[in-house]
Amino acid sequence: MAELNYREAVAHGIAQEMRRDPLLVMLGEDIADAGGVFKTTVGLLDEFGPERVRDTPISEQAIIGAAAGAAMTGIPTIAEIMFSDFIAVCFDMIVNEVAKARYMTGGQISVPMVIRTANGGGSRFGAQHSQSVENWCMMIPGLKVVAPSTPVDVIGLLAASIRDPDPVVFFEHKSLFATKGEVPDGEIVDTLGTAAVVRQGTDCTIVALALMVPRALEAADRLAEEGISAEVIDVRTLVPLDTETLLGSVVKTGRLYTVEENPRLCGWGAEITSIVAEEVFWDLDGPIVRITTPHIPLPSAEALEDLAIPSADRVHDTVVKTMG
Amino acid sequence: MSTDRAEAGRHDFALRPSRPPAPVDHANEDLPIPLETRVEMYRLQQELRQFEKRAYDLFMQNLVKGTSHLSLGQEAVAAGVAAAIRPDDYTFATYRGHAHTLARGVGMGPVMAELLGREDGLLGGKGGSMHLTSVEHGMMGSYAIVGAHLCIANGAAWSAQIRGTDQVAVAFFGDGTTNIGAFHEALNFAVVWKLPVIFVCENNLYMEYTPSDFVTAVPHPAADRAPAYGLEAVLVDGNDADAVYEAARKAVELARSGGGPSLIEAMTYRHGGHSRADPGKYRPDGEVDAWLERDPIPMYHQRLLRLGVAEGQLTEIQQEVAQRVDDATEYAKASAPPGDAALMTDVWADGGSAWRN
């Protein structure tokens, strides 16, 4: 057992998989010599060499295209897109090429690749470097979507993503990079499509993802002191979605809150809300409530960004108000 | 160009000056290309021509739905490159990909059935005209978003480099592609990584319905850009299979020996419109006729006769191909539409499409 931070866990997970599979390669901007702008790939160049850990030009289409072409011809790949906002620059590659390759070729082409990217706010970077864009990817058939909240999940879900024969977009949260957690020794491999009940409760279910998980847990601690027993679920992977765990919890508690960093419209919580409303409506004791970033571009100033992104306070206050 | 015509041409492309083909370079007859390779290129051009004509007829009969983009007139490019590569090399095409698929040896029957949306189609009816793919033939797909596949071809070339094979990847694209960002990203990337990839621009003079010189900063959209990436400007007669073959052969040799990428611009012309819906009325009087005079197939036919191939052998090839096109048509028509179950398969590697438990 060792304590790693979330940032170190990324390199740890990649290294675990590169040791296992000598064909696995990685490419991206500033990932080799510089060790990544978020220092998530430190040490990989030294261990695996410049043929397997390769710096690229600032060419997101070329990065995703090269990763896809290699993946479909027998070389599994990890492509880093430095900030998830830049997914917009290569959205064609991800959405029209990578995601659809298998279906539109009648199953002939496999694209075993992982797109890693730094997602989310809290860094005061403003509207073009702070977005939570996991919902952009969730809506595309053919993409798996993963967003871990702890170091051990980073390793296990990254390993599962790399071993998955389908394309996975793996969101690493910028504001979690410094957070620490216990990591067991030895190989760690998790399972995609499994949510985790990270706190048991009986009065309401709070569903969260990535940075919103620790905030939901903090809110649940305070709610417990006030006599409200909240169950907190870390969704972990949006596609595949572990609806069994989500529905089971809602049936038990009768109340659902989603805590989403993405802006309001078409956030992932809307999909979960719709599933719950369609399938366990009669088990609900009150309206489903979505707690999200407002439908605005993210501001840069600390005071405004903190106001925009759901906080533990906002989660707590919303639950108290609506459970009242 | 007179000022008046130039002005008129700004609003009506049909009034622009005609851009006729260059004359045949008969010196290409002396290129050291084995006669059997030349006969094979003739056969390929016949296959592509006769297949595309049949595809056109089937559109007219409304048996093919959706759209299609034919290579009628451009066959020499597909045939010349296909003859210069190995079966284990990779090719990537655009939505104008019937010819490039057939040129790799993919059966006409499955391709025709795919155009008709049948269960025996090459992609089981899920791809259609614009996405023809046959991995077992090294035909890694037809990509319908302009420019994307140049970046993907880089990846296949990188993969060959990593695996230590001497395979090459070829990406075909049109003149219009040279103005999209992915083209420029792909070229720079390929050169910097010294990838065994060959970019083949089929310059048919029109970016869909617009003359490409009307919207492009340089006269030769690919060749004139090559030096910006440290590449040789290679401009060939795309209506002469020998010229294409020779350029492709040199590029393949360079790529296999670790010399990196090449960019070839092949001048050609599509006999029809951009797609099924387009009658091609934006082309000046006389231009289509001038290019029909430079049709790659009759020219090549005459060349083979001069090189000593018997007329009878060429007739036999034509007839044999015609029979195969008929057979493919029958095969396609006899195939059933895909069953309902096919709708939800092959999103994921497990064969299914489940996104939740």
Side-chain angles (χ1 to χ4, degrees), chain A residues 25 59 61-62 65-66 69-70 73 92-93 97 102-105 108-109 142-143 165-166 240-244 279, chain B residues 90 122-123 126-127 131 133-135 140 143 145 148 151-152 155-156 158-159 163 185 343 345-346 348-349 355-357:
Chain A
V25 293
S59 301
Q61 296 189 80
T73 53
D92 166 53
M93 285 290 170
E97 319 300 340
R102 185 187 299 280
Y103 188 84
M104 74 182 188
T105 63
Q108 289 185 55
I109 287 183
L143 294 179
D166 291 307
L241 186 64
D242 181 2
T243 51
E244 269 178 32
E279 300 179 22
Chain B
Y90 299 116
L122 188 63
L123 318 168
K126 283 180 169 167
H131 300 303
T133 303
S134 181
V135 170
M140 298 304 293
Y143 296 80
I145 308 292
C151 298
I152 301 172
W158 179 33
S159 154
R163 288 180 284 110
E185 289 196 19
L343 182 68
T345 61
D346 288 331
W348 307 123
W355 53 269
R356 59 173 286 190
N357 56 11

Side-chain angles (χ1 to χ4, degrees), chain A:
Chain A
M1 191 72 86
E3 191 179 68
L4 287 185
N5 64 32
Y6 188 102
R7 180 194 317 279
E8 293 161 339
V10 175
H12 185 98
I14 295 169
Q16 171 187 298
E17 294 306 298
M18 289 188 90
R19 283 179 208 126
R20 179 188 61 88
D21 183 353
L23 288 180
L24 180 63
V25 293
M26 183 175 167
L27 76 169
E29 297 155 13
D30 296 330
I31 64 160
D33 193 48
V37 297
F38 296 106
K39 301 296 171 198
T40 47
T41 54
V42 168
L44 297 176
L45 174 66
D46 288 344
E47 181 172 355
F48 301 105
E51 297 305 314
R52 296 184 66 193
V53 182
R54 294 191 76 162
D55 281 324
T56 68
I58 299 177
S59 301
E60 279 82 9
Q61 296 189 80
I63 292 169
I64 300 299
M72 64 175 70
T73 53
I75 300 294
T77 50
I78 304 172
E80 177 175 312
I81 297 298
M82 189 186 287
F83 284 78
S84 65
D85 313 70
F86 308 166
I87 279 178
V89 179
C90 50
F91 211 41
D92 166 53
M93 285 290 170
I94 298 172
V95 169
N96 289 318
E97 319 300 340
V98 169
K100 294 174 174 56
R102 185 187 299 280
Y103 188 84
M104 74 182 188
T105 63
Q108 289 185 55
I109 287 183
S110 290
V111 193
M113 66 183 281
V114 175
I115 300 166
R116 294 178 39 247
T117 189
N119 194 43
S123 301
R124 324 314 183 194
F125 288 160
Q128 297 180 338
H129 288 70
S130 305
Q131 296 171 84
S132 285
V133 304
E134 60 278 355
N135 55 329
W136 294 0
C137 294
M138 185 188 190
M139 64 181 162
I140 308 302
L143 294 179
K144 295 183 178 174
V145 182
V146 179
S149 71
T150 66
V152 69
D153 279 4
V154 166
I155 299 168
L157 291 174
L158 190 50
S161 301
I162 289 166
R163 296 180 193 197
D164 196 281
D166 291 307
V168 178
V169 187
F170 191 88
F171 290 98
E172 297 158 12
H173 203 291
K174 294 193 285 287
S175 289
L176 290 172
F177 280 138
T179 59
K180 292 180 176 167
E182 291 293 321
V183 172
D185 297 331
E187 186 180 82
I188 303 169
V189 187
D190 210 321
T191 307
L192 301 187
T194 55
V197 178
V198 291
R199 180 192 174 99
Q200 300 273 351
T202 53
D203 298 334
C204 65
T205 299
I206 304 177
V207 178
L209 186 76
L211 179 66
M212 298 299 98
V213 175
R215 294 187 181 183
L217 284 168
E218 186 186 330
D221 283 345
R222 288 171 48 197
L223 289 165
E225 290 165 14
E226 296 158 21
I228 297 175
S229 167
E231 180 146 296
V232 179
I233 295 179
D234 181 350
V235 187
R236 305 199 317 150
T237 77
L238 292 174
V239 183
L241 186 64
D242 181 2
T243 51
E244 269 178 32
T245 299
L246 298 169
L247 292 169
S249 176
V250 173
V251 166
K252 181 175 77 173
T253 65
R255 290 272 187 168
L256 172 64
Y257 297 86
T258 65
V259 189
E260 304 161 57
E261 190 175 338
N262 47 223
R264 178 81 187 187
L265 300 189
C266 302
W268 56 259
E271 189 58 51
I272 289 174
T273 297
S274 140
I275 293 167
V276 167
E278 280 186 35
E279 300 179 22
V280 295
F281 181 80
W282 302 109
D283 293 290
L284 289 170
D285 297 328
I288 299 166
V289 178
R290 290 179 60 209
I291 302 161
T292 75
T293 294
H295 208 63
I296 55 169
L298 276 175
S300 167
E302 205 168 14
L304 292 176
E305 191 183 32
D306 286 345
L307 193 62
I309 297 173
S311 61
D313 280 349
R314 176 133 67 100
V315 176
H316 166 268
D317 295 351
T318 305
V319 172
V320 169
K321 190 172 150 199
T322 52
M323 294 277 292

